[in-house]
Every structure is written in C-alpha cells, then in structure tokens.
Amino acid sequence: MKPYSILALLALISLFGCNTQSSEHSASADSTIIQPVIITDSVVHDTDDPAIWINPQDPSKSLIIGTDKDEDGALYVFDLAGKIQQDKVVKNLKRPNNVDIAYGLMLSGKPTDIAVATERAANSIRIFALPDMKAVDLGGIEVFKGDSMQAPMGVSLYTRPSDKAIFAIVGRKNGPKEGYLWQYRLQDDGKGNVKAELVRKFGKYSGKKEIESIAVDNEMGFVYYSDEQVGVRKYYADPDSTGKELALIPNTGFTEDNEGISIYKTGPKTGYILVSDQGADQFYIFRREGTAANPHEHAHLRTVKVAAHKSDGSDVTNLALSPAFPKGLFVVMSEGKVFHYYKWEDIIGDIK
C-alpha cells in the first residue's frame, strides 16, 4: 500500500494457502473505547477512506487525504491538526471511493509523489501530484475497460522494490469469482502525465458482497483485500508472481463486514495488520509476520474498540509525525463526515 519511503523514514507508512489464525486468536476484545486525539473538520457529504502522505522534508507538515463519497464528491486534504487545507481540496469528483499514496513516480524526469483515488461513477482512477494535488491524469484513466462490471471502489498502490515501478491494484463494486482485481502499471505518458497499462487480473471473490478495502505491504511483497463477510485474502503483489492465493484470514467473530485494512510496521518483516469490524466499531489486530512453520498464518492478537463509527477506511504510520503522535498515527474514517486521528500506543496497548 505504502512504499518503503523516499528517505528511510517513509518505509514507516503504511492500508494467506488458506489458513486460520493460530491459538493466539483466542485473544479477547478490550471493552475500553479508545478516543481519538483529533477529529477533523467535516466534509460535505460522506467520508470513506483516508491516506497519509509523509512530508520528506518536515514530517510535521504531513497531510491526510480523504475521500468525500458523493456524485458531487471531493478529495479533502487535512493537516495534522485536522484542519482542511482549502487550497488543496479537489472538488467535482463523481463518487470518489478510496485513495492511496505512492512516492517517487518519475514524471517529466522528476520523482513525484502521487495520490490515486477511484472515481466510481466515472469508471476511472484519478491521479494527483502531492503536495499541491495537481491533476496529472488528463481528467481520469478508465479502469475495467471493456468489462460490463466497472464501478471502481478500492485502490492500493504497490511500489516494486527491485525497480521502483508503481502499480495500482483496483477493486470494484461487483466482479467475477476469479480475476476480480485488475492491476495497472503507472508510468509517464511522455508529456508529464500518467498513463496506466493493464498488467494482471487476479483475486478470488466469494460473491457474498463486494471487495473494497485493499492494502499492499511493499517490503514483504504482499497484497491483502477484504472479501466482505468472508475474510481478508492474501496474494503476491508483484504482477510477475504467481496468482495463487496465499492465505485467507477468516472474519471469525466479526459482527458484520470485514472492511478497512492497515499495516503497521515495526521492522522490515514485523508488525501488525489492522482490519475494521465495521458494524461493531472495532478493529481486529493480527500479526504481520507469520509463524516459523507457516509465514502466511496471521495470529489474532487483540480487538480494540474505537470511538469512530462504522469505519470502513483507515491508514497508519509508525513515524513520529508530531509531539501528539510520538509512536505513529492511526487515521480512521467515521460516520459524521469526519476522520479520527488516534495515537498508535493507544491502539496497540501492551501487545508485544
């Protein structure tokens, strides 16, 4: 989802053969409702998904980009105090759903950080250069072209470590049982704008609801996505890798949809995977690394309740962005047209 940074700091961002969780899955939920440090200014219609952009010169000037999902929707940009940066807001988008960020796409010979959002009602993805949110997509790039089922919803960006190639992995409102996700390589069109080349169709789908939340682990080379009401599926992110499903984290114990996915990294191959239990206002925390016997077995460690209501989108970083977030920031969409900012240490508690 998020790259391993421009400076080594940006590695701190973030966002399964078929296996169940180990015996650690017996971990019980904490009844304490965790409160956010900051609640953002309100958007106009309906918040859905956030992404964190880390400013490489000054992390305290990092930004949160969030979708306002409506036929007259927008991408909102917030500072770390939760205030809308009006000069960066992108309006007149047709139902923007999800958003993700990548660093260093070469445009006109210069490395450019980008925010990529799905524009569901336009059957497109939109691409903007950061931090100014300048469009670099000539008005949008059609996805699922030629398919009767379009309506893009989820998106996550994969930066391949070997050559820094950047790919957009896109989900949709509905799709086939196989090949539900389409993966596109993003490149300069020769004129400083982005073009997208379809390189792969992959991913199982249960047919129960939809696939929206997608998260990529760049360092470990995996992509995770929520097959709602079934669980989180895991594949290799590199389009040149096998299309075999590596694991399924079943949504055992979830009250409704398994939704937003974020990855908090404590090292190159260690950390946590957070998955929203949307109907219960809580997040399940799984171990990022597997076991010695099975690298795709992700133990359930803890379930935490949050004040955010019906969250289906989140992002996380372990970088100390400001004194308010000394061990990282967890940003969560909440009903009420806002996003919540949480301290990481409040979320993780005493888990080791």
Side-chain angles (χ1 to χ4, degrees), residues 1-274:
M1 181 156 76
K2 313 299 177 215
Y4 198 77
S5 89
I6 314 171
L7 308 172
L9 292 177
L10 296 181
L12 308 172
I13 295 182
S14 105
L15 66 180
F16 288 152
C18 185
N19 301 298
T20 61
Q21 300 94 332
S22 76
S23 60
E24 287 184 80
H25 184 69
S26 61
S28 61
D30 188 334
S31 60
T32 302
I33 298 176
I34 300 171
Q35 298 298 322
V37 175
I38 289 169
I39 298 176
T40 66
D41 293 341
S42 298
V43 304
V44 176
H45 301 291
D46 180 19
T47 51
D48 194 271
D49 186 53
I52 303 168
W53 175 73
I54 296 178
N55 187 314
Q57 279 75 45
D58 185 350
S60 70
K61 295 182 180 178
S62 299
L63 301 171
I64 309 300
I65 293 85
T67 58
D68 183 20
K69 187 173 63 176
D70 189 82
E71 294 289 338
D72 181 28
L75 280 178
Y76 278 81
V77 181
F78 305 88
D79 64 16
L80 293 182
K83 301 300 181 184
I84 294 172
Q85 306 300 287
Q86 294 290 354
D87 61 327
K88 294 178 172 59
V89 174
V90 180
K91 297 184 178 181
N92 301 314
L93 297 179
K94 298 183 182 299
R95 202 171 179 82
N97 230 98
N98 283 30
V99 61
D100 199 13
I101 286 168
Y103 298 81
L105 180 68
M106 296 303 294
L107 294 179
S108 298
K110 298 179 181 179
T112 305
D113 299 347
I114 56 171
V116 179
T118 50
E119 191 175 16
R120 183 167 152 192
N123 295 319
S124 299
I125 55 173
R126 298 300 315 272
I127 304 173
F128 303 91
L130 287 159
D132 297 328
M133 296 299 287
K134 175 187 175 183
V136 289
D137 60 0
L138 299 176
I141 298 171
E142 185 179 2
V143 289
F144 305 113
K145 189 173 183 178
D147 196 297
S148 60
M149 294 177 283
Q150 290 185 291
M153 295 180 69
V155 64
S156 190
L157 303 180
Y158 168 56
T159 301
R160 187 162 55 194
S162 62
D163 59 1
K164 306 305 179 185
I166 295 176
F167 302 86
I169 299 173
V170 189
R172 44 188 159 164
K173 181 67 176 175
N174 203 353
K177 294 292 183 71
E178 297 283 348
Y180 192 105
L181 302 175
W182 288 21
Q183 185 167 0
Y184 299 84
R185 180 167 182 172
L186 305 181
Q187 294 177 284
D188 193 326
D189 67 356
K191 299 180 180 179
N193 292 296
V194 180
K195 65 178 181 179
E197 176 191 4
L198 178 64
V199 294
R200 179 167 68 149
K201 302 175 184 179
F202 73 101
K204 292 181 181 178
Y205 168 51
S206 67
K208 287 194 172 183
K209 194 171 181 184
E210 62 200 25
I211 294 170
E212 181 176 2
S213 182
I214 309 169
V216 167
D217 187 330
N218 286 306
E219 295 78 16
M220 297 188 75
F222 300 128
V223 56
Y224 301 86
Y225 64 89
S226 281
D227 189 343
E228 294 178 21
Q229 301 184 359
V230 174
V232 175
R233 300 187 185 273
K234 177 183 181 182
Y235 287 77
Y236 286 116
D238 191 329
D240 296 332
S241 299
T242 174
K244 177 185 176 182
E245 182 173 284
L246 302 173
L248 169 68
I249 304 178
N251 65 350
T252 305
F254 282 67
T255 58
E256 195 178 315
D257 295 339
N258 48 284
E259 275 268 9
I261 307 170
S262 300
I263 301 170
Y264 183 94
K265 301 163 186 176
T266 58
K269 296 184 178 182
T270 59
Y272 309 99
I273 302 168
L274 295 90

Side-chain angles (χ1 to χ4, degrees), residues 15 27-30 32-34 48-50 213 226 252-255 257-263 272-286 300-316 330-334 340 342 344 346-348 351:
L15 66 180
S28 61
D30 188 334
T32 302
I33 298 176
I34 300 171
D48 194 271
D49 186 53
S213 182
S226 281
T252 305
F254 282 67
T255 58
D257 295 339
N258 48 284
E259 275 268 9
I261 307 170
S262 300
I263 301 170
Y272 309 99
I273 302 168
L274 295 90
V275 182
S276 172
D277 181 358
Q278 186 180 23
D281 300 344
Q282 61 188 14
F283 283 82
Y284 279 60
I285 301 177
F286 300 92
H300 173 225
L301 303 175
R302 185 185 186 195
T303 303
V304 295
K305 295 184 177 296
V306 294
H309 188 48
K310 288 191 173 294
S311 179
D312 61 1
S314 61
D315 197 10
V316 69
F330 183 48
V331 56
V332 173
M333 161 267 164
S334 177
H340 287 193
Y342 294 88
W344 173 251
D346 291 344
I347 296 295
I348 198 61
I351 292 177

